[in-house]
Amino acid sequence: MSFTSLVLKNLWRHKIRSLLAITGISLGIATIIALGAVADGMEQNLIATLRSGKADFSIGQANAPMIILSSVPQARVAEIARWEEVEQAVGALVSFSSFQNNPYFMAIGIEPEALDLGGVTILQGRPFAREDEILLGKMTAGTLNISLGESVSLDAQRLRVVGIYETGNLFQDAGALLYLPTLQKLKNRSGEITVILVKAKAGADLNRLTERVERAYKNELVTLRSAEEFNRNYQSLSLVRAGSWLVSLLALVIGGIGVVNTMMMSVFERTREIGILRAVGWRRWRVLQLVLGESLSLGMLAALAGTLMGWALARAVVLLPQARGLIAPAYGSELFLKALALSLVVGLLGGLYPAYRASKILPQEALRYE
Amino acid sequence: MSEKIIIAKDLVKTYENGRTRALDGVSLEIFRGEAVAICGPSGSGKSTLLNLIGALDRPDSGELIVAGENLVRQRSDLADFRARKLGLIFQLHNLIPALTALENVLIPTLGINGGRREIQAQAKMLLERVGLHDKTHRRPPELSGGERQRVAVARALVNNPELILADEPTGSLDSKSEKQVLDLLRELQTERGVTLILVTHDPRVAQSADRVIELLDGCVRAPVAA
Ligand SMILES: Nc1ncnc2c1ncn2[C@@H]1O[C@H](COP(=O)(O)OP(=O)(O)O)[C@@H](O)[C@H]1O
Ligand SMILES: [Mg+2]
């Protein structure tokens, strides 16, 4: 028998109680995993959406809380397009609109000349040429069963479907493309775009070009070349993430109370046993380790159970008809590490006081047989 | 046989802020390899004395040196001392009910890290020695009182102690098991050359020792004879 197996045995002795404590933590962990996976998935899709196609990099607003909330003056497009290292610069406005009966439908406003740079392949029909025309993503057309020539409503505006496209990006293919001024008018955002897509001239130094942009528009624009840059610039402040941290905190508190309760009960019941351990030569520190080991194991098991539950929950969300294939959860290792760290912290904090109490048990008191 | 393993001088231990004087100036000397019984009626201070010798408690005043360690001066946690030098046996609550006999024997060795395989073998050997080779995987509730105390004897020896302290080890056994456990203790004590201190209220049990120290109201009654 090893110390570790003694720890696990002690948990196993009160299976139901241990299970309850584990459930308490793992529910929180499951929520964090599910929420996080869905949020990460959406974010990654969004990033791919805004970075897609043949562009070398994109430009967004500096200090925007989320990329979707980025706002860039449209005038910057022409300014940057004139630079000699720049082959092409185009603006795109991304917005959530109500489409048919879906209130969170992603519509992208863009100039027709920019479709190629955006990586758009027309599967049927032709590009839009007029203000009242729209292109539907392949998944939009497929799930809603809309075909060419039909009239659809976007934010209560009637538009005619002239083509169906594919980009390979989940968000884009579940959205629609239309003429930039039309979307600007619908959203009351004329002169404003979300991102600028930039293609550099062949042989241009991309590093110097992006530096030039950031120097020229200091504190106004940031360049985004990779998914990591998107994350760095837009993720930390996002509302979803703040919400997920709030849930984490709640899980920490609820799970922690469960662990304290469980471990206090278990220490109290084992006063005599702990007295024996101390009498036969265990140090205070060793007793502390034993109880902390038990609470940490509860945390670890909860991390495992919570991760599985969270994964299942995210799968279930994806299967909801409302999700319509819009959400592809992303299970990053960061998310799992966060869940593991969190449950270990809960186990540690929840076990601290009970372990301290256990280490204070006096052998001669515990072993008196009245 | 002349080396002193325990030297106690004027040990005083009070409880409840001095209202109970459990030990009232106890002095004694015990030699290495001896089997000594501490005998006296209930409440005479036997367990209190044994707890002081076993470094489970500290005296209010007096001198106490056990196996070369000054237990009065020593301010730190004495767990290490117990782990290295002592084997303890109590009347009840010796064993952890959820663990098997073998695991209970191993419990003292889990206080420190290291060399597990040999210890496992030694624990098995000890259980064999106390006649429980076929019950190593039984838990205490599945063992008789005598068998439980034999497990406790094996546990007390697993760390190769210099000194075995037993507080009424046969106090809750029938006379047949009592004899078994006492014989076993004496055999192992001589076999291994360890010192045994046996606390008992029963003069018949005390007879199994080489020497008897009598306690009454916290004082040694018969003078210590070497
Ligand atoms: N922890 C304690 N608190 C208060 N009184 C105690 C405690 N331990 C022992 N005593 C008292 O000290 C005296 C000696 O007790 P003890 O050493 O247990 O005697 P014995 O083991 O000979 O029966 C008794 O009067 C007992 O009530
Ligand atoms: Mg007693």
Side-chain angles (χ1 to χ4, degrees):
Chain A
M1 185 178 58
S2 66
F3 189 73
T4 319
S5 62
L6 180 61
V7 164
L8 295 179
K9 246 180 201 126
N10 282 338
L11 294 182
W12 185 246
R13 276 158 76 178
H14 294 283
K15 298 177 215 37
I16 305 285
R17 196 160 73 192
S18 301
L19 204 67
L20 282 177
I22 290 169
T23 309
I25 310 173
S26 59
L27 282 177
I29 297 297
T31 317
I32 291 162
I33 291 271
L35 219 72
V38 168
D40 282 352
M42 288 175 78
E43 190 99 1
Q44 274 173 24
N45 253 315
L46 213 54
I47 288 164
T49 305
L50 299 169
R51 224 204 84 59
S52 65
K54 296 169 183 156
D56 289 312
F57 61 92
S58 346
I59 301 172
Q61 182 193 355
N63 312 320
M66 283 170 88
I67 181 69
I68 195 72
L69 299 178
S70 161
S71 168
V72 175
Q74 195 173 359
R76 302 287 180 243
V77 181
E79 288 168 25
I80 290 166
R82 274 199 297 276
W83 293 1
E84 81 229 34
E85 313 97 295
V86 172
E87 165 101 28
Q88 194 184 2
V90 298
L93 179 66
V94 181
S95 79
F96 285 112
S97 301
S98 73
F99 179 74
Q100 307 295 72
N101 50 14
N102 178 359
Y104 304 109
F105 181 80
M106 193 166 78
I108 302 173
I110 198 167
E111 298 290 346
E113 312 85 75
L115 285 177
D116 187 43
L117 191 62
V120 176
T121 310
I122 305 286
L123 298 176
Q124 285 175 48
R126 56 167 175 82
F128 49 80
R130 288 173 32 182
E131 298 212 344
D132 60 349
E133 290 177 348
I134 189 167
L135 293 179
L136 296 188
K138 150 183 116 163
M139 276 169 49
T140 314
T143 49
L144 297 180
N145 206 7
I146 300 170
S147 37
L148 287 188
E150 276 187 43
S151 161
V152 293
S153 107
L154 185 84
D155 287 337
Q157 169 83 30
R158 303 305 299 180
L159 298 163
R160 205 164 68 85
V161 179
V162 295
I164 291 168
Y165 70 88
E166 178 181 30
T167 66
N169 172 276
L170 203 61
F171 266 12
Q172 289 170 345
D173 289 349
L177 291 170
L178 67 161
Y179 195 42
L180 177 60
T182 311
L183 191 61
Q184 283 173 331
K185 208 184 303 160
L186 278 176
K187 289 287 159 196
N188 247 329
R189 290 178 70 180
S190 53
E192 212 184 300
I193 50 173
T194 308
V195 286
I196 306 173
L197 305 181
V198 178
K199 175 144 187 68
K201 283 228 174 78
D205 183 338
L206 279 182
N207 284 331
R208 289 187 42 195
L209 182 53
T210 53
E211 272 167 32
R212 182 178 170 188
V213 173
E214 298 202 345
R215 221 171 329 107
Y217 303 100
K218 207 166 187 309
N219 293 328
E220 182 192 332
L221 301 182
V222 283
T223 59
L224 307 155
R225 280 176 73 179
S226 58
E228 293 84 70
E229 280 189 352
F230 270 96
N231 280 326
R232 214 173 315 123
N233 283 296
Y234 292 117
Q235 214 171 37
S236 55
L237 291 170
S238 92
L239 288 172
V240 181
R241 251 143 258 289
S244 135
W245 273 111
L246 204 71
V247 172
S248 308
L249 198 72
L250 213 68
L252 194 122
V253 170
I254 294 173
I257 290 171
V259 173
V260 173
N261 195 42
T262 303
M263 294 313 297
M264 273 317 276
M265 221 144 86
S266 141
V267 164
F268 183 72
E269 281 175 8
R270 288 186 292 166
T271 302
R272 278 217 162 103
E273 280 183 40
I274 292 166
I276 296 171
L277 298 180
R278 294 278 290 126
V280 301
W282 282 40
R283 293 164 164 225
R284 291 217 162 92
W285 170 238
R286 197 60 164 167
V287 171
L288 197 93
Q289 280 179 312
L290 179 72
V291 178
L292 271 188
E294 288 170 20
S295 65
L296 274 176
S297 303
L298 285 179
M300 211 118 78
L301 291 169
L304 210 75
T307 302
L308 284 175
M309 277 157 60
W311 177 80
L313 203 66
R315 298 285 312 167
V317 166
V318 171
L319 292 178
L320 286 178
Q322 285 88 338
R324 277 194 200 131
L326 249 171
I327 301 164
Y331 307 97
S333 53
E334 209 180 296
L335 187 62
F336 290 124
L337 284 179
K338 181 185 152 190
L340 182 66
L342 202 76
S343 22
L344 289 183
V345 165
V346 170
L348 187 73
L349 290 182
L352 225 45
Y353 181 67
Y356 168 78
R357 288 293 299 265
S359 77
K360 285 288 170 198
I361 288 173
L362 296 173
Q364 72 273 23
E365 293 292 327
L367 293 171
R368 293 183 70 200
Y369 20 86
E370 282 73 48
Chain B
M1 263 270 302
S2 61
E3 194 199 339
K4 291 167 188 165
I5 192 167
I6 298 171
I7 304 168
K9 274 201 198 99
D10 297 325
L11 286 180
V12 174
K13 178 72 184 178
T14 61
Y15 290 110
E16 299 161 312
N17 284 324
R19 266 181 285 142
T20 309
R21 220 168 161 79
L23 291 183
D24 195 3
V26 167
S27 299
L28 51 80
E29 288 179 348
I30 290 172
F31 295 90
R32 213 170 264 282
E34 264 193 303
V36 175
I38 295 175
C39 191
S42 173
S44 56
K46 306 181 297 292
S47 295
T48 304
L49 179 58
L50 202 73
N51 285 349
L52 295 186
I53 295 171
L56 295 169
D57 214 342
R58 290 173 201 276
D60 297 354
S61 65
E63 288 293 320
L64 180 59
I65 296 170
V66 177
E69 198 94 27
N70 188 329
L71 297 185
V72 181
R73 301 271 157 73
Q74 183 65 259
R75 284 285 98 188
S76 65
D77 190 355
L78 288 163
D80 276 352
F81 170 77
R82 295 195 290 272
R84 273 184 292 117
K85 309 242 165 134
L86 306 184
L88 293 162
I89 304 167
F90 306 99
Q91 179 178 357
L92 298 164
H93 315 307
N94 260 310
L95 305 181
I96 296 179
L99 300 180
T100 65
L102 182 61
E103 289 164 346
N104 266 290
V105 174
L106 285 168
I107 272 294
T109 68
L110 290 179
I112 28 163
N113 306 304
R116 250 190 279 128
R117 210 155 289 264
E118 306 120 56
I119 288 172
Q120 184 102 9
Q122 194 188 339
K124 276 209 176 110
M125 196 266 288
L126 279 167
L127 278 173
E128 227 160 89
R129 179 64 188 81
V130 301
L132 294 172
H133 54 278
D134 53 341
K135 294 183 173 153
T136 51
H137 295 293
R138 297 266 184 95
R139 287 167 220 282
E142 304 154 6
L143 295 171
S144 73
E147 288 168 337
R148 283 203 286 263
Q149 287 310 68
R150 283 188 273 157
V151 174
V153 170
R155 187 192 63 196
L157 289 166
V158 77
N159 57 338
N160 294 313
E162 294 180 24
L163 189 60
I164 298 176
L165 307 179
D167 192 350
E168 308 268 11
T170 58
S172 49
L173 300 183
D174 58 77
S175 55
K176 187 163 159 269
S177 312
E178 174 176 278
K179 185 171 163 16
Q180 255 184 353
V181 169
L182 287 175
D183 289 350
L184 191 62
L185 266 175
R186 280 310 309 261
E187 276 170 41
L188 283 163
Q189 183 249 330
T190 27
E191 232 169 71
R192 299 176 157 241
V194 294
T195 311
L196 170 69
I197 298 181
L198 181 63
V199 158
T200 178
H201 66 276
D202 185 345
R204 274 188 318 120
V205 172
Q207 284 319 307
S208 66
D210 301 331
R211 181 155 72 96
V212 180
I213 295 174
E214 274 194 73
L215 273 192
L216 188 65
D217 296 331
C219 297
V220 176
R221 220 173 157 202
V224 188

